[in-house]
Amino acid sequence: MISNSIIYIVLAASILALAFAFIFYKQMMKQDEGTDLMKKIAAHVRKGAMAYLKQQYKVVIIVFIILAAIFGIMAYFKLQNGIVWFAFLTGGFFSGLAGFFGMKTATYASARTANAARNSLNSGLKVAFRSGAVMGLVVVGLALLDVSVWFLVLNGTGLLEAVGAENDLITITTTMLTFGMGASTQALFARVGGGIYTKAADVGADLVGKTEYNIPEDDPRNPATIADNVGDNVGDVAGMGADLYESYAGSILATMALGASAFATAAVEGMQFKAVLAPMLIAAVGVLLSLIGIFLVRTKENAGMKELLGALSRGTNTAAVLIAAATFGIMYFLFGKETGEYANMWWQTSLSVVVGLLAGVIIGKATEYYTSQSYKPTQKVAESSKTGPATVIISGLGLGMLSTAIPVVTVGVAIILAYLCANGFNIEFTAANLSRGLYGIGIAAVGMLSTLGITLATDAYGPIADNAGGNAEMSGLEPEVRKRTDALDALGNTTAATGKGFAIGSAALTALALLASYVEEIKIALVRIGQDLPNGVEAAKATLVDFMEAYNVNLMNPVVLVGVFIGAMMAFVFCGMTMNAVGRAAQKMVEEVRRQFSTIKGILEGKAEPDYERCVAISTKGAQHEMLVPSILAILVPILTGVILGVPGVLGLLIGGLATGFVLAVFMANSGGAWDNAKKYVEEGNFGGKGSENHKATVVGDTVGDPFKDTSGPSLNILIKLMSMVSIVMAGLTVTCHLL
Amino acid sequence: MISNSIIYIVLAASILALAFAFIFYKQMMKQDEGTDLMKKIAAHVRKGAMAYLKQQYKVVIIVFIILAAIFGIMAYFKLQNGIVWFAFLTGGFFSGLAGFFGMKTATYASARTANAARNSLNSGLKVAFRSGAVMGLVVVGLALLDVSVWFLVLNGTGLLEAVGAENDLITITTTMLTFGMGASTQALFARVGGGIYTKAADVGADLVGKTEYNIPEDDPRNPATIADNVGDNVGDVAGMGADLYESYAGSILATMALGASAFATAAVEGMQFKAVLAPMLIAAVGVLLSLIGIFLVRTKENAGMKELLGALSRGTNTAAVLIAAATFGIMYFLFGKETGEYANMWWQTSLSVVVGLLAGVIIGKATEYYTSQSYKPTQKVAESSKTGPATVIISGLGLGMLSTAIPVVTVGVAIILAYLCANGFNIEFTAANLSRGLYGIGIAAVGMLSTLGITLATDAYGPIADNAGGNAEMSGLEPEVRKRTDALDALGNTTAATGKGFAIGSAALTALALLASYVEEIKIALVRIGQDLPNGVEAAKATLVDFMEAYNVNLMNPVVLVGVFIGAMMAFVFCGMTMNAVGRAAQKMVEEVRRQFSTIKGILEGKAEPDYERCVAISTKGAQHEMLVPSILAILVPILTGVILGVPGVLGLLIGGLATGFVLAVFMANSGGAWDNAKKYVEEGNFGGKGSENHKATVVGDTVGDPFKDTSGPSLNILIKLMSMVSIVMAGLTVTCHLL
């Protein structure tokens, strides 16, 4: 019999991840930070980044205190249980911590990477990649720590009973989902705030520096340069860390909840517990395999780009193949001895994981195809620069819209396959088949993200290399160094495409799994207040299908349809707000940079130092100011929808937001990526090369793409899940009080 | 007792509309066409436009023959009844005819408008507006002709029985929907083909002429000028005519079908027939009121802009208020004597119409707010030109995304109110309440479009004024004339905003109504092949709610969700294709214009004539070539979805396409409109005025906005409905043959 103590494996994996993160951090810190000027610049950037993060956490803490207080009040009125507020806080805390550690490491690593790149490409890769791995391991380590400790506490002690809730696995897992809401809330603020910061600085620096004054990227004469480098850290590192913490934890938690409900009435003893365990174990084993992958990323001295890419791919691919194989082992260990109905469950559920992994790979490849300058689509965007910026924009938008086809169809096929694999290829729509199928969809998402330790490392080392390049430029190192860091950065773009595939794909699957958790939470809320379903079915015994019928969650119900409309609109309005925020903040930055260029004498000759601090302050203030409204909207709209339209309206909202948000996110990410690389393609000497009118046209595209791919697009992934999480936590309110 | 002969009222209204269209056409033709040069230019444009339309109809006829053949084959296998193929052809024929007549009138009217504008603003308005009214009246006249004649034939003769179908009102009305599919197919081709044509020419002309050579709009030295003017006719006139024909007929047909099914089992005799009559009668009375409105549009000589706007608004507002009042009369005539369950039906259903009208007005006002340079949002887009084209694009996109909030919330509220009003404010989700509520939603859409005769006149006169301006410019008339035509054009933009509100809002409501028709058609298909529902309920007696349960069309069914994903994707992919098509066609035009400027000597000095024909040919070929794939995709995807995912997948597809398409359409239309007017705002002398760097930045925005607002955006409205129509016609196939 498998006992609670197996959770200690998960706890051990989490500690292992954190330990290696610490070791890698220490190793990185031992490296030489280079010349005094390099140190000074790094310190500048570090100071700006930390100052920003502190400022952001201050705002976020206030939001968290208010939300925790609301949950406390809800608990008082029996609309939630009494643990939610605290679980919510821990989720937010760990998510923020992951971002903080990742960024701290990155700001120490950039000068060291630049310095190492003075020796060779390979040395630079090693420092940057290991520092990226710190982030990857901190994210998975903290997430598993939070998950395992909470599970041990809730399942092992009578805490839930003490606060008057049930003490079964369903209540435990849905309670734990609220710590996911904490992580999502933190992640949204980090992504939106960081995204606005980095793009305001980037757009501001580029528009005046590159376009108007023809000075290169990261030139120390540009007053917004430091702010731009700070932005890479707070947006692409801290923001991404919090974001992926949320994705990772969210997929595990949602699948645990699905497992608890799918096997709640299983005749075989222990099935429910094992189903809850499975996602945690896959993630724990994934940590080990990620570590193996990380150690595989090494190459001979003087390796070229191709060898470096090979080294990175070897790491991620090995981890992915191993986790696919290991999943069969884990599932056999858990379910291999079952007979009858569950005899084939071990391999069937494993197939769902394989489906998830394959879907992630396909989306990643499609992303690469549409956004890399090695392929036709991006080259065509570059070519359209011959007719000016307008056609660059039109063709980039067209490309992004078209590029949604493969990811959406892939996710669609993956949903159906993961569903069918997990329920034994049974297409009949019964409550049992549905629950097991949804569990399969959830576990496919867990599989996708299980090797996050290494995929995030390949993602996070990109901004480190980028910053190293900035440092090299500003400290006047030999051009060779900048070339090497640029190569590392470009390499990161390719591997990051795969990472993005996994992030977007898993977000869609997880959000789908959260729908079922929402219905489960409605059930718990009904049981808590002692009500039956509207059609008289006893709440405690109701299946998902019963809920659909009782609440008329079908596509003929106008309330559902209005919910879908509002969800679709939310995705657009949220993006509109963040786009405008970047536009406004960037405009302020442009004005400041222009002001400095015209009022500080000798700045363009490099004789006078620009006022970097002021640009940093402008970005910080702009981001703080602008991130609040869209983030709060994401929390308020699901609550209002619930209070006005009730359960069917909320489910409509979530589906509308999920479908439109998913497609919009792919569109924005790919358009942005293609513009970025179309510019690079021209800079490589095509269609007139650097400084030509064509180049200027592609810079316009790149500038528009900045908020697309680094602010609005990635925030959508979080928005989708946060709206689900909010709905789940607020289910008690929706059930007791709604207008329609 | 109300008998079949009342349909002759509808027929009479249709003939009245056509008669007045003919009178207005003759009046216009009596006007002087101006100087010889004016006549020559108009002839040029007319020739190009007619040549294009002929070319387009050739392609469309082939598509229609293929589709009609498929329907014939389906009828042979009892997957459809034997009238569908012919009804489909008539819908397409009349839709094309409406576009043809409208465009013929427009191409004769432009020089006459320019000539009249030499006298006064008011004379110009009169010619342009009356010519626009020809289009409005032809559209409503032909639509009502088709509807009333088909209804007389199907209801009065045994035609349906002769082809082996039932001869009840449900079968009659759903069969008539297939003539809607003909109209939608024609409209999509017209909108997409015309949209690509006009924007390729416009973008090409602007990019080289305005941006590179600094020559004004419509300058005869620009080789793409004639093509640009032809484009206004084939896109904004013929395309819009076919589009609104489809909207108008679609809303009436869908509501008739809803009425037939909602009251199929009514205990009161004649209820069903009267419910089918109601939308036709509202439309027929709307024709009369539109005529009254059209005659109200007159103002004193030497009237200023404000008076002219007042005159136009007086016409449309009077018609709208009168139709609201008349609806109560019509409903009282039909249902005023009912007792019991239906005692309040007359005023309750009338309220649904009022809700629809109000929603249209609110959306129109919101459109005006977000896209007119009189308000802050567009002014801010203009202001962002201070930091270059990139920020113009970012702020325009942001504005468009934000602007989706009011229309979506308005439509959401309207859906729920129209639903509740029509079913007696009964929120309980029963089959009877649902059917009557959906009927209310449909009739709200009919109400919105009932005064199309005049609203379309205010829409269609814009491009006529635009072309008149082109004619004035090219024939070298006094600048005063151009100023007057520009004023007329600007005036048209404001009133067109209201028109757009009605078009978009009604599309959303009609598409929603078509969902119910789809389920109805599934029922007919099941009865035809003698099958029960999957859960054993007898098909003939099954309600909408039974269908939802039998096919598991709920939000937990992964097949539904995958359908929603694909629907959302379709909206984006379709826009991506049309955007890219414009980009490609425009690029060819740019290259041709540049070639002519550099190879034809003396062209810029006005000494040599450019080769207009070649530019016309390039646009024609580009549009023909590019319109096929997206249009065929719109037909194929619903069929494939049905064959693979079955009924729940199709319903998911339709909802996903509707929600995302609706929001995306509003976004694109408003971004495009705002960019257009931001440019005009700068041209009016703000932020540096014409010729400044800021102006150039806004021209980039305007160019990007062109395919947004005139190609992709408006095509989405048709796409949404066409996908529903295709699904309805293919229901028989979906039911008998599907994978999942």
Side-chain angles (χ1 to χ4, degrees), chain A residues 36-104:
Chain A
D36 283 348
L37 185 55
M38 290 170 76
K39 281 180 198 161
K40 191 186 140 195
I41 289 164
H44 256 308
V45 173
R46 196 155 50 236
K47 199 180 124 199
M50 285 300 164
Y52 172 77
L53 222 54
K54 264 183 210 151
Q55 188 58 37
Q56 166 153 314
Y57 287 154
K58 271 187 206 159
V59 177
V60 172
I61 283 172
I62 296 170
V63 174
F64 267 77
I65 290 175
I66 294 171
L67 286 172
I70 293 174
F71 299 152
I73 295 168
M74 284 177 69
Y76 180 80
F77 287 106
K78 290 198 172 298
L79 298 173
Q80 247 314 348
N81 74 50
I83 291 184
V84 159
W85 68 273
F86 186 65
F88 170 74
L89 287 180
T90 67
F93 176 74
F94 279 115
S95 168
L97 208 60
F100 175 80
F101 281 142
M103 203 191 75
K104 199 178 161 92

Side-chain angles (χ1 to χ4, degrees), chain A residues 386-387 398 401-402 405 419 429 434 512 552-558 561 569 572 576 580 590 594 655 660 663, chain B residues 386-387 398 401-402 405 419 429 434 512 552-556 558 561 569 572 576 580 590 594 655 660 663:
Chain A
K386 290 198 278 184
T387 40
M401 287 173 162
L402 277 182
Y419 177 89
F429 192 83
L434 177 61
L512 229 157
N552 304 301
V553 192
N554 62 61
L555 291 188
M556 277 297 130
N557 186 348
L561 302 177
M569 175 205 81
F572 276 87
N580 276 347
V590 165
R594 279 187 186 159
I655 290 293
T660 306
V663 184
Chain B
K386 290 199 276 182
T387 42
M401 288 172 162
L402 277 182
Y419 177 88
F429 191 83
L434 177 61
L512 229 156
N552 304 299
V553 193
N554 62 61
L555 291 188
M556 278 295 129
L561 301 178
M569 176 205 80
F572 276 88
N580 276 346
V590 165
R594 279 188 185 158
I655 290 291
T660 306
V663 184

Side-chain angles (χ1 to χ4, degrees), chain B residues 57-68:
Chain B
Y57 287 154
K58 270 187 205 160
V59 176
V60 172
I61 283 172
I62 296 171
V63 174
F64 266 77
I65 289 174
I66 294 171
L67 285 172

